[in-house]
Amino acid sequence: MAQVLNYINGTLQHALSGERLDNIEPATGQIYGSLPQSSDNDVALAFQAAKNAFITWRQTTLEQRSALLARIADLIDENLERLAQAESKDSGKPLSLAKTIDIPRASSNFRFFAHALTQFSSEAHESVGQNTINFTLRHPIGVVGCISPWNLPLYLFTWKIAPALAAGNTVVAKPSELTPVTAHLLAELCQQAGLPAGVLNIVHGTGASAGQAIIAHPEIKAISFTGGTATGAHIAKVAAPMLKKLSLELGGKNPNIIFADCDYPRMLEITLKSSFANQGQICLCGSRIFVERSIYAKFKEDFVSRVTQLRVGPPNHEVDLGAVISKEHRQKILNYIDLAQNQGGLLLCGGNKADVPQHPEGYYLEPTVIEVNDHLCRVNQEEIFGPVVTIMPFDSEAQVIEMANSVPYGLSASLWTSDLDRSMRFGQQLESGIVWVNTWLNRDLRTPFGGVKASGVGREGGFEALRFFTEPKNICISYKP
Ligand code: TXE
């Protein structure tokens, strides 16, 4: 049984109440471990440890801090196999994906910010002619809160923790209660790396209990959150009146726009991934596919034929799709598939629970393609967050831009074309934080990451993250000439 513990002041410990939650394996539908159900008292303990640790952590030299973060990255690499196995079991994602994407990215997050912190500089502004110079220092905020979701557990957890620590803050962090195991393993690696006690504290439990205690804590001055838009709005409601700094990375309903002049085989290959990677549970998945009418019939045939060949099965086998995160989430996705058909959508493939004989109780779903005739129908407007995509044709640039921008979200967009001018026109006009042309999920960690509209507030990545996790302080010196 995987027994997860809180990590507070350098030690692994139970919640003060002793209360525990079951941890269910999505691939089998069986309970396979448990985690602490933490509350205000545990968060208070974690906060106090972080507050004490801040006094010395903020004074560590950049070299020391960088070396510690790099050491954690090395340990993640050394434990790749163990972490990938744990991530796959905990989330239902294919082991191959955990091994090639999730865990390598977790170590990249630490290594990237280990380097970035040594390059992040303060600014000076000379007020020419006024005998004045301004130094803009960047100080850590203090104790900050990081809350992450279940779809890319260690990947997103470390994407927040690494820059927060790099900037000199101490952290109270909470992973999703649905996928707590790799955060527990990270705590062990931090102990091994020699991270001073209290610098990172990990508190497990539900959003309503442990998460709420973090966002409502009066002295946790910044919250970095990734998750659903409704939760993000709730966090803003609680945290904004307390004047906390907020970074909210929320949902997406991303368009994938395909023109006839694209590199067709490459587009088809990557569109399969952008539709169904991680069972479609990535906020960047392209769930609305718009295809230029001249190639629509061909695309429909080729795409559906490739989708029906995708292998769904136990995540530790050679499969393309594992299980979705929970029974409730699978039901939510199935409800959307019904709704699509009620609203005139045509099911082209999939649409059902997938039959996986080894694990009849696991949360499997067939990859599903629905042809829709109205870009405003609910399945084309609301985030489903599962292995479901819609397709529909378009006739002109103006029409597809209008359809692409018609949703409340604005996280990412993909465009397939060989026309450079068109890619610039779309880049300018698409309402999203990220536009990919002839590629998908292609990330340089120095670039800003985040969305517009209901997809969030603020940007992560590179110096944007280090700016978020620091307060600028301007010191203005007037001197006698
Ligand atoms: O996420 P939640 P859920 C979308 C996706 C999904 C929907 C709901 O559409 O179907 O959101 O998923 C913590 N105070 N995304 O409900 O609740 C929670 O414990 C503080 C998109 O599983 O947003 C977890 O650690 N924290 C997304 C984290 O918030 C709270 C990834 C995210 O969970 C809290 C996941 C509270 N009151 C879902 N309530 C993306 N952007 O990638 C919950 N939490």
Side-chain angles (χ1 to χ4, degrees):
M1 292 277 271
Q3 295 301 350
V4 167
L5 294 171
N6 285 341
Y7 174 55
I8 297 178
N9 207 19
T11 63
L12 293 163
Q13 52 190 263
H14 287 277
L16 291 169
S17 67
E19 208 184 320
R20 295 189 69 80
L21 301 168
D22 288 337
N23 189 12
I24 296 173
E25 181 182 4
T28 62
Q30 306 301 313
I31 295 170
Y32 86 108
S34 68
L35 61 143
Q37 166 65 315
S38 310
S39 66
D40 293 12
N41 293 335
D42 303 287
V43 168
L45 207 61
F47 170 78
Q48 199 48 52
K51 187 176 173 184
N52 296 343
F54 181 61
I55 298 162
T56 41
W57 181 249
R58 69 174 305 175
Q59 298 296 349
T60 45
T61 64
L62 299 187
E63 202 174 357
Q64 286 169 326
R65 217 184 283 164
S66 175
L68 262 170
L69 297 188
R71 176 77 188 122
I72 297 172
D74 290 344
L75 286 169
I76 293 174
D77 287 340
E78 285 165 27
N79 287 274
L80 169 71
E81 184 65 37
R82 189 163 73 103
L83 288 164
Q85 295 272 357
E87 199 73 297
S88 166
K89 195 174 174 71
D90 218 19
S91 66
K93 71 176 69 215
L95 179 58
S96 56
L97 194 71
K99 248 188 220 174
T100 54
I101 305 278
D102 291 76
I103 307 305
R105 175 59 189 274
S107 88
S108 295
N109 289 339
F110 273 105
R111 193 165 290 110
F112 174 83
F113 282 106
H115 296 154
L117 76 90
T118 67
Q119 304 301 312
F120 188 50
S121 53
S122 302
E123 289 174 324
H125 301 91
E126 184 181 4
S127 306
V128 178
Q130 297 179 33
N131 302 324
T132 301
I133 186 139
N134 292 276
F135 294 98
T136 310
L137 306 181
R138 284 268 167 189
H139 286 163
I141 295 170
V143 180
V144 299
C146 298
I147 300 178
S148 59
W150 44 261
N151 58 333
L152 299 165
L154 194 63
Y155 175 133
L156 291 176
F157 197 54
T158 54
W159 180 231
K160 298 179 178 307
I161 289 170
L165 297 178
N169 302 284
T170 53
V171 174
V172 177
K174 191 192 91 64
S176 169
E177 60 275 30
L178 301 177
T179 51
V181 174
T182 47
H184 172 91
L185 297 176
L186 176 70
E188 292 180 353
L189 298 181
C190 288
Q191 287 179 320
Q192 222 175 307
L195 190 71
V199 168
L200 170 64
N201 303 275
I202 302 175
V203 178
H204 293 274
T206 57
S209 180
Q212 184 70 23
I214 294 173
I215 61 167
H217 194 291
E219 289 183 69
I220 297 180
K221 288 293 182 197
I223 304 285
S224 173
F225 168 81
T226 298
T229 295
T231 314
H234 169 79
I235 291 175
K237 212 165 157 186
V238 174
M242 300 170 89
L243 307 176
K244 293 178 196 272
K245 229 174 157 182
L246 285 180
S247 167
L248 304 174
E249 203 276 281
L250 310 177
K253 188 73 186 175
N254 311 306
N256 181 6
I257 302 166
I258 299 167
F259 278 90
D261 66 358
C262 71
D263 175 341
Y264 189 87
R266 189 172 139 79
M267 174 281 296
L268 195 61
E269 217 50 59
I270 297 186
T271 292
L272 279 169
K273 291 202 170 72
S274 66
S275 304
F276 299 113
N278 204 35
Q279 299 74 246
Q281 302 168 129
I282 304 181
C283 52
L284 302 164
C285 279
S287 53
R288 296 180 293 147
I289 305 178
F290 299 108
V291 187
E292 193 167 15
R293 195 175 295 278
S294 62
I295 57 163
Y296 184 71
K298 175 174 167 51
F299 173 82
K300 181 164 131 180
E301 190 184 332
D302 293 344
F303 186 58
V304 170
S305 141
R306 291 292 300 272
V307 174
T308 48
Q309 289 164 36
L310 292 173
R311 300 156 301 176
V312 184
N316 56 358
H317 290 205
E318 283 284 306
V319 293
D320 300 298
L321 285 85
V324 300
I325 189 67
S326 67
K327 199 172 186 170
E328 296 72 27
H329 190 55
R330 181 172 67 174
Q331 193 52 50
K332 172 188 147 182
I333 299 167
L334 285 167
N335 292 346
Y336 269 112
I337 295 170
D338 283 347
L339 178 74
Q341 291 166 280
N342 294 338
Q343 295 200 328
L346 182 66
L347 193 60
L348 299 178
C349 66
N352 302 301
K353 293 178 186 172
D355 187 23
V356 174
Q358 300 96 318
H359 302 305
E361 302 299 322
Y363 313 134
Y364 300 95
L365 263 179
E366 294 171 346
T368 300
V369 182
I370 301 169
E371 182 173 52
V372 292
N373 51 24
D374 176 9
H375 66 283
L376 296 175
C377 67
R378 277 186 59 195
V379 274
N380 243 39
Q381 291 287 313
E382 298 174 20
E383 187 179 44
I384 301 175
F385 219 61
V388 179
V389 292
T390 64
I391 64 170
M392 73 179 283
F394 68 85
D395 295 297
S396 69
E397 281 193 10
Q399 183 198 19
V400 76
I401 285 177
E402 200 248 306
M403 296 196 298
N405 288 343
S406 70
V407 292
Y409 297 99
L411 187 52
S412 71
S414 291
L415 174 71
W416 291 93
T417 181
S418 58
D419 182 335
L420 187 61
D421 294 335
R422 173 146 60 208
S423 66
M424 267 320 288
R425 285 194 295 276
F426 274 68
Q428 301 278 8
Q429 292 178 58
L430 286 169
E431 293 170 357
S432 66
I434 299 155
V435 177
W436 278 301
V437 181
N438 299 328
T439 183
W440 177 71
L441 208 65
N442 191 332
R443 291 275 304 133
D444 180 322
L445 301 190
R446 292 169 299 182
T447 60
F449 179 88
V452 297
K453 305 200 291 193
S455 291
V457 175
R459 293 291 180 275
E460 300 185 298
F463 290 159
E464 294 282 345
L466 294 178
R467 285 190 199 103
F468 173 76
F469 283 118
T470 51
E471 280 295 0
K473 177 191 274 182
N474 197 64
I475 301 175
C476 175
I477 302 176
S478 169
Y479 57 90
K480 286 195 190 125

